[in-house]
Amino acid sequence: MSADATRKKIVALIAAETKLSPTEVVVMLEKPKQEAHGDLAFPCFRLAKTMRKAPPVIAAELKEKLFAPPLPEGLAKVEPVAGYLNFTLATDTVITDLLRQVLEQGGSYGSMTEGKGRKVVLEYSSVNIAKPFGIGHLRSTIIGAALNRVYRKLGYETISINHLGDWGTQFGKLIAAYRLWGSEYEFADNAIYDLYDLYVRFHEAAKSDPALEEKGREEFRKLESGDTENERLWRRFHDYSMRDFNRIYEQLGVRFDYLTGESFYQERMTPVIEKLDKQHLLTVSEGAAIVDLTEYDMPPCLLKKSDDATLYATRDLTALLYRKDTFNFDKILYVVGSAQKLHFRQFFKVAELMGNEWVAEQAVHVDFGWVKFSGQMMSSRAGTLIFFDDVFAKARETALEIVIQENPGMDNVDWTAEKVTIAALVFTQLKVRRNRDVNFVWEDAFSFRGATGPYLQYTHARLTSLASKYGKPLPDLSADLLLLGDEEKQVTKRLEAYPAKIKQVAESYETSFLAEYLLDLAAAINSYWQRIRIITDDEKATTARMQMAYAVRVVIADGLRLLGIEPLKRM
RNA sequence: GCCCCCGUAGCUCAGUAGGAUAGAGCAUCUGCCUUCUAAGCAGAGGGUCGCCUGUUCGAGUCAGGCCGGGGGUACCA
């Protein structure tokens, strides 16, 4: 009997006896937090009033009346404990069936077809041209890329967009700065740092020379009106920057289908503004064109400045409508920091008012908290930016030392150290709830123990080396799996939750659920590993254990890949 | 001022539709490598779950009010 059928039977029995409706019983049944309490629990507290008996008495009576031996099929134990009636399911066949399923499906275990024929657009990373990739950008990039993979696993077609910050007056300033001091720089390998330096230098100089600001604005106006020389420079800045970003994206294993940034929408905004005007949504206030949103308890959405220039709301609105036209998505996700919450609410509402009812349902701001450094905010303005390259280089040094120390004679130490470093950096971003600010602590970036990405990689490496020691091909689908003991069941049982976990991530845009799940699974197999020898002379027991270990490895590997972490074979 | 997020062990964080002694990791202390990777495992100490009131048989979880931190709040993104 399946676990589900057993559950239904319990519900039916209790409902009949207590005069509760079956749905009420279903809602009341819970999963005990502690494994010792079994698989299901029925709390009797609410019955105390109507039955006028103490909960423990009710629990004991229910057991006597409904679950006196012999127990119904599928149940191994029924026990009243402190006002609860606890059920332990007879899991023998359930667990072996589960294990067989994982072994058969391998890496596609947990894959689903629910997304088939459905399309999701994801906007993430969205870095700024001429600004080095900071630790702050990491969060959007990592979360977005992970969600992208999760949706693909569920069968969705995904379209990933890097909405580059590649337009605005800052480019005028940069051009001005370049004309002044550009000859002093080489723009070689890490040209983006030269650009950043130019930008910072311009700001410094502008403090004592206000004329520079005007110069910057003028250069931008020239750029906008199609000045070939300025366009050429803009293109160069763009290319320098992308060269660096692409290097980082490659390290992180992140790819984009489109690199359409703000400049891309430059030409496309006018029709949108015109349409808004035609629909009488636009009003002029203090010289600016706005959409009034007081009815929705929001400040007005500003779409044109008093000097006629557009704003980011104008671009984002245009982009949203353009993407709907172009891709006809079922859902669009914006992985952007929570500081922009209001901005998204505003332009989503404006799009809706334009007659796009789908927005409320399909457009989602997947917001996330700040990355703080030692409790301090990081901002380019305050000059407290931490660059990804610096963190990566430093962490990699430590990783390399450890890799060499732990694996004397291994040949691909550099590659391994890099993958371990990425795992550490990526995992710290993904394991905490999105809405929380994450505190970036240097020591954590260099820690490869405990609840970290490398811990999961290590677990995977152990299981891989175990398999090669075993020697026989795995999985062995002809093998008898019935020899799983209680210890093996405790581990195997956890695999059941994997598919639901992936769905949960997709529904909540919350990667931490998967991260937590993998940690729990790894902890279970590591604890098992320490206590029980897997390969012994007992051939049958060994086969069963190896099958379990294999299944666990497959799930860990798959989960790690979804998160963007390389499951290492050796480390 | 108004709106949003956060406040759980020394630190970083879990805590699923309210339920059983509030859980991990780091750090500290104690054990465990002649056999499958010790980047591991087992154990100890460490908590008035920011404060108050309420709802409930039962509140870290729900409601209201405070306190503290952060963000946002029309021409930056």
Side-chain angles (χ1 to χ4, degrees):
Chain A
M1 184 178 280
S2 76
D4 217 40
T6 310
R7 197 190 171 99
K8 280 191 184 130
K9 190 165 201 172
I10 293 171
V11 170
L13 284 169
I14 294 178
E17 177 64 26
T18 58
K19 291 169 198 142
L20 291 164
S21 75
T23 41
E24 278 177 304
V25 179
V26 169
V27 172
M28 285 171 78
L29 270 182
E30 56 189 59
K31 191 183 172 198
K33 284 182 179 170
Q34 289 178 50
E35 280 170 10
H37 289 140
D39 300 301
L40 280 172
F42 179 74
C44 304
F45 306 98
R46 271 169 64 185
L47 296 170
K49 217 174 213 174
T50 50
M51 296 176 76
R52 283 193 286 173
K53 285 175 194 161
V57 176
I58 297 171
E61 284 182 3
L62 284 176
K63 165 162 169 102
E64 282 309 308
K65 283 189 190 159
L66 304 175
F67 302 100
L71 288 172
E73 195 194 338
L75 277 174
K77 197 166 85 176
V78 180
E79 206 177 14
V81 182
Y84 288 88
L85 192 56
N86 292 336
F87 302 91
T88 305
L89 302 181
T91 50
D92 280 4
T93 54
V94 175
I95 290 204
T96 47
D97 284 352
L98 168 67
L99 182 53
R100 180 160 285 118
Q101 195 190 339
V102 180
L103 295 174
E104 275 168 6
Q105 299 182 7
S108 60
Y109 175 65
S111 295
M112 289 174 215
T113 52
E114 64 161 62
K116 203 151 185 248
R118 309 226 301 145
K119 205 182 274 182
V120 181
V121 171
L122 299 101
E123 175 188 305
Y124 53 92
S125 199
S126 304
V127 285
N128 296 315
I129 297 300
K131 254 189 217 163
F133 197 99
I135 282 298
H137 295 123
L138 193 57
R139 197 122 193 245
S140 169
T141 308
I142 295 297
I143 293 174
L147 289 177
N148 189 1
R149 291 184 211 100
V150 165
Y151 274 99
R152 281 213 297 265
K153 172 133 185 142
L154 293 177
Y156 290 84
E157 180 188 342
T158 66
I159 292 160
S160 54
I161 301 176
N162 193 347
H163 191 67
L164 298 172
D166 59 0
W167 205 248
T169 33
Q170 69 267 31
F171 290 94
K173 294 177 185 176
L174 201 57
I175 289 168
Y178 182 84
R179 292 203 197 286
L180 282 170
W181 313 295
S183 55
E184 298 170 31
Y185 297 84
E186 285 181 29
F187 300 104
D189 276 354
N190 296 303
I192 197 165
Y193 290 96
D194 291 338
L195 293 175
Y196 184 63
D197 197 61
L198 271 175
Y199 186 74
V200 171
R201 193 166 160 186
F202 184 87
H203 269 272
E204 280 302 309
K207 275 183 200 161
S208 54
D209 183 4
L212 280 178
E213 290 285 351
E214 183 44 44
K215 182 92 184 119
R217 275 194 290 273
E218 194 196 315
E219 295 291 4
F220 182 61
R221 267 195 296 275
K222 277 168 71 186
L223 175 64
E224 269 192 309
S225 59
D227 179 272
T228 38
E229 182 58 19
N230 277 13
E231 233 169 45
R232 199 181 58 84
L233 282 175
W234 176 85
R235 172 57 53 188
R236 266 182 82 183
F237 299 156
H238 177 278
D239 292 348
Y240 284 152
S241 304
M242 284 318 298
R243 205 169 60 198
D244 269 49
F245 294 147
N246 284 333
R247 192 196 68 233
I248 293 169
Y249 290 139
E250 203 166 307
Q251 284 172 329
L252 295 172
V254 175
R255 284 197 180 80
F256 298 94
D257 297 314
Y258 293 94
L259 291 171
T260 42
E262 295 174 348
S263 62
F264 180 80
Y265 297 100
Q266 211 45 37
E267 311 286 299
R268 298 166 213 265
M269 286 186 279
T270 323
V272 177
I273 299 269
E274 281 169 1
K275 185 168 185 200
L276 276 164
D277 200 27
K278 235 180 247 167
Q279 294 177 312
H280 304 294
L281 290 164
L282 225 48
T283 51
V284 176
S285 164
E286 296 172 34
I290 64 159
V291 175
D292 185 85
L293 296 173
T294 39
E295 201 183 318
Y296 308 97
D297 282 325
M298 283 186 272
C301 185
L302 219 62
L303 292 165
K304 248 183 171 182
K305 303 205 278 185
S306 41
D307 67 356
D308 250 24
T310 55
L311 288 111
Y312 72 132
T314 328
R315 275 184 286 277
D316 273 345
L317 177 63
T318 305
L320 175 61
L321 300 178
Y322 171 84
R323 289 167 185 171
K324 185 64 179 179
D325 274 352
T326 321
F327 304 118
N328 192 26
F329 51 74
D330 296 282
K331 193 164 244 184
I332 181 164
L333 306 181
Y334 291 84
V335 187
V336 179
S338 53
Q340 297 191 36
K341 254 182 162 164
L342 178 60
H343 163 68
F344 278 98
R345 280 182 57 216
Q346 285 179 309
F347 87 81
F348 283 173
K349 181 52 82 182
V350 172
E352 207 182 317
L353 291 174
M354 292 175 79
N356 303 294
E357 300 84 11
W358 50 267
V359 174
E361 178 82 359
Q362 300 182 346
V364 182
H365 176 205
V366 179
D367 63 318
F368 56 87
W370 296 92
V371 179
K372 293 190 283 186
F373 174 61
S374 320
Q376 292 266 306
M377 288 302 192
M378 280 192 285
S379 82
S380 48
R381 273 169 275 179
T384 48
L385 263 190
I386 296 183
F387 300 133
F388 174 81
D389 287 328
D390 296 338
V391 176
F392 180 78
K394 277 198 167 181
R396 198 183 155 288
E397 258 178 58
T398 313
L400 187 60
E401 277 174 34
I402 297 173
V403 171
I404 290 170
Q405 177 194 318
E406 298 289 334
N407 305 274
M410 193 166 83
D411 46 7
N412 54 347
V413 284
D414 286 307
W415 182 84
T416 305
E418 175 157 335
K419 295 302 175 193
V420 168
T421 307
I422 295 293
L425 295 177
V426 165
F427 198 78
T428 47
Q429 298 292 325
L430 294 181
K431 78 171 170 187
V432 296
R433 282 253 185 179
R434 241 176 45 221
N435 68 342
R436 292 188 82 100
D437 294 348
V438 293
N439 218 332
F440 180 83
V441 190
W442 279 102
E443 300 85 73
D444 286 359
F446 310 140
S447 169
F448 306 112
R449 324 178 88 94
T452 64
Y455 170 78
L456 297 174
Q457 289 177 310
Y458 177 72
T459 307
H460 182 268
R462 273 177 148 185
L463 294 172
T464 308
S465 92
L466 182 72
S468 60
K469 165 119 192 192
Y470 179 61
K472 298 179 196 168
L474 283 167
D476 181 356
L477 295 173
S478 64
D480 182 6
L481 303 168
L482 295 174
L483 278 160
L484 294 175
D486 285 343
E487 294 277 6
E488 287 79 15
K489 284 182 200 157
Q490 284 306 315
V491 177
T492 309
K493 208 163 84 176
R494 286 162 209 272
L495 300 177
E496 192 194 355
Y498 185 64
K501 212 45 93 170
I502 290 169
K503 265 183 81 170
Q504 198 188 1
V505 170
E507 278 159 16
S508 59
Y509 323 111
E510 188 66 78
T511 56
S512 64
F513 293 143
L514 180 54
E516 293 282 348
Y517 170 80
L518 292 174
L519 284 174
D520 177 68
L521 180 60
I525 194 70
N526 279 326
S527 173
Y528 176 89
W529 171 289
Q530 213 71 34
R531 283 176 290 116
I532 290 152
R533 198 169 166 77
I534 294 170
I535 300 173
T536 65
D537 294 339
D538 184 341
E539 229 173 276
K540 281 194 167 174
T542 300
T543 309
R545 290 175 190 149
M546 284 307 301
Q547 298 274 62
M548 169 201 69
Y550 176 84
V552 170
R553 172 160 63 105
V554 165
V555 170
I556 289 180
D558 191 60
L560 283 176
R561 283 197 194 95
L562 287 176
L563 295 179
I565 295 171
E566 178 85 24
L568 296 172
K569 293 193 168 60
R570 282 190 67 189
M571 67 182 277

